[in-house]
Amino acid sequence: MTENPYLTELQTTAKHLTQRGKGILAADESTGTIGKRLAILSLENTPETRRALREMLVCAPGNDEAYSGMILFQETLYQTDSSGKPFVSILKEKNILPGIKVDTGLKPVPESPGETTTDGLEDLSNRCASYYAQGARFAKWRAALRIDVNRGLPSDSVVHENARELATYAATAQSEGLLPIVEPEILIDGTHGQEVSAAVAERVISAVYDALREQNVPVELTLLKPMMIMPGVSSEERKNVTPDIVAVETLRVMKKVVPEQVPGIMFLSGGMSEEEATKNLNALNILAEKEKAPWSLSFSFGRALQHSAMKIWNGDKNNLEEAMQMASEVARANGRAQLGKFEGKHPSSGSESLYEGFRGWRGGAPKAV
Ligand code: 13P
């Protein structure tokens, strides 16, 4: 095998993204997904509204204390702040690495109604090369797996197909100089308990590392982005789950299936409230230090870093300063949680659940069969 010409840069990127006390903001919502969140604020989903929202998140003073990277949607990678300065240049000055979502969304699996794989492998290598040229240094690909105990979901074939796609994407991204974040999200939707979540996560994440090995992807040049191990959102257990319970089970599963060579596990927030996501990450890091976990455990949250700030902003320039302050405070709370040092009152506006049914499924939840 010939050596990857980007090897040293990929190593530096991995180190940068997993530095202590920092994590990643996932601000890479597709136009459809962000449109649903803007609609809640009665805002129109236009390129300018999206640009203004992303300006609030990119330019928030002090966010660089907590962010090592920011994942952008393709449109944002080429946008500028209101004075015409490219977002990519602003991020570079803040020492926040720009990342890019490279998948193009979920697609249904005809043979297994209600399950999905992910689109975007076509032309991926050319797109990665263009994103690198524009300043991106890491990438994200999201697979979404759904638990339905009665139907035996996720099905083995869909687990394996998603794992194969994630590995093909990771190899392609690496060969174009982008450090791949490998995201097999197990959706929080469902009535299953935590034990089922753990068993499914073991199955899914093991399949991902098998596929990476089969495709000769060096895992030390990848990051994993999983959901924490929690009961389904509609289960009885959900009400009683505590950060310590989540931390114990999440760490147990990760230790079982994630190779030591992986530099970082950057969790998604998946519908947890802002406060819950921070507290769970904090508990995880306290436990990980005690148990000497081999990887950095951090955040790559979307909703749990944006919700309160977005509400304050509400599309109005006059609210920008206050919204930016909230965005940075929530970011810094998570930076402290990465160190296991978050305490006191959470800066967000409350413990409101950020659950969205079957996120990313076009047209809402899949029909039951
Ligand atoms: P949430 O943290 O809102 O789940 O989003 C993270 C993400 O990037 C999922 O792809």
Side-chain angles (χ1 to χ4, degrees):
M1 231 190 333
T2 52
E3 190 168 289
N4 184 327
Y6 295 103
L7 180 65
T8 313
E9 189 176 23
L10 290 167
Q11 286 165 339
T12 310
T13 299
K15 223 175 177 163
H16 182 90
L17 291 175
T18 54
Q19 61 191 285
R20 279 177 61 73
K22 291 193 183 180
I24 296 172
L25 167 64
D28 61 325
E29 298 83 2
S30 65
T31 305
T33 297
I34 205 64
K36 288 183 199 149
R37 296 187 194 151
L38 291 169
I40 295 170
L41 302 173
S42 306
L43 296 173
E44 223 187 312
N45 189 9
T46 64
E48 175 49 27
T49 319
R50 296 191 292 273
R51 192 208 60 73
L53 166 65
R54 269 69 190 246
E55 176 164 359
M56 185 268 285
L57 297 167
V58 168
C59 300
N63 63 356
D64 49 341
E65 288 168 35
Y67 291 154
S68 56
M70 201 176 284
I71 318 174
L72 308 174
F73 188 59
Q74 174 174 309
E75 176 185 65
T76 321
L77 187 70
Y78 297 89
Q79 280 177 324
T80 68
D81 73 359
S82 38
S83 75
K85 189 165 176 177
F87 286 144
V88 171
S89 312
I90 299 169
L91 290 171
K92 274 195 193 139
E93 281 169 15
K94 288 178 172 238
N95 212 11
I96 300 174
L97 279 182
I100 178 78
K101 171 185 173 75
V102 299
D103 68 78
T104 55
L106 304 176
K107 64 173 174 209
V109 179
E111 306 78 44
S112 183
E115 291 199 286
T116 59
T117 56
T118 302
D119 252 335
L121 286 179
E122 207 173 297
D123 204 29
L124 181 60
S125 152
N126 286 339
R127 288 191 293 117
C128 286
S130 312
Y131 300 147
Y132 181 93
Q134 179 63 15
R137 288 296 175 269
F138 69 104
K140 179 192 106 170
W141 175 285
R142 173 179 183 253
L145 285 305
R146 172 191 182 188
I147 299 181
D148 182 335
V149 178
N150 293 333
R151 290 184 51 213
L153 305 185
S155 63
D156 273 337
S157 60
V158 168
V159 166
H160 286 105
E161 182 55 14
N162 276 299
R164 192 193 62 77
E165 287 173 354
L166 279 164
T168 305
Y169 137 76
T172 310
Q174 285 178 347
S175 66
E176 299 301 336
L178 302 178
L179 187 90
I181 296 186
V182 172
E183 180 181 359
E185 172 172 1
I186 296 167
L187 297 167
I188 199 173
D189 305 69
T191 53
H192 54 274
Q194 193 183 24
E195 215 177 298
V196 171
S197 289
V200 172
E202 281 180 26
R203 191 152 69 88
V204 167
I205 300 173
S206 302
V208 168
Y209 286 109
D210 287 347
L212 288 166
R213 223 169 289 120
E214 269 160 34
Q215 296 196 37
N216 297 313
V217 178
V219 293
E220 63 278 16
L221 300 177
T222 64
L223 296 172
L224 178 68
K225 176 161 172 167
M227 178 54 177
M228 294 179 194
I229 308 296
M230 323 233 334
V233 72
S234 314
S235 81
E236 278 305 307
E237 275 178 47
R238 174 84 176 109
K239 297 190 252 325
N240 303 322
V241 80
T242 64
D244 288 337
I245 295 175
V246 174
V248 167
E249 215 31 26
T250 302
L251 198 58
R252 184 186 69 75
V253 170
M254 298 301 144
K255 277 184 156 174
K256 209 161 157 187
V257 292
V258 183
E260 283 189 12
Q261 296 80 357
V262 172
I265 305 179
M266 324 300 278
F267 292 93
L268 59 104
S269 63
M272 290 185 267
S273 75
E274 291 166 289
E275 183 173 5
E276 190 182 15
T278 304
K279 288 186 169 169
N280 287 350
L281 183 67
N282 193 59
L284 250 169
N285 274 294
I286 292 172
L287 189 63
E289 191 162 331
K290 266 195 225 142
E291 296 195 7
K292 302 200 180 352
W295 351 260
S296 158
L297 295 172
S298 192
F299 58 91
S300 175
F301 299 155
R303 281 163 281 181
L305 286 164
Q306 298 183 43
H307 181 69
S308 295
M310 243 180 113
K311 271 204 311 197
I312 296 173
W313 168 66
N314 203 23
D316 185 342
K317 272 207 279 290
N318 296 321
N319 302 331
L320 193 59
E321 205 178 315
E322 200 191 329
M324 284 177 161
Q325 196 177 334
M326 173 61 88
S328 278
E329 277 177 25
V330 176
R332 288 195 296 260
N334 285 294
R336 288 196 295 283
Q338 199 288 319
L339 300 169
K341 292 203 161 103
F342 171 76
E343 41 194 37
K345 192 175 159 355
H346 197 269
S348 66
S349 54
S351 51
E352 191 182 333
S353 159
L354 304 180
Y355 170 63
E356 291 169 355
F358 297 97
R359 194 175 83 67
W361 247 270
R362 294 193 179 105
K367 289 190 183 47
V369 243

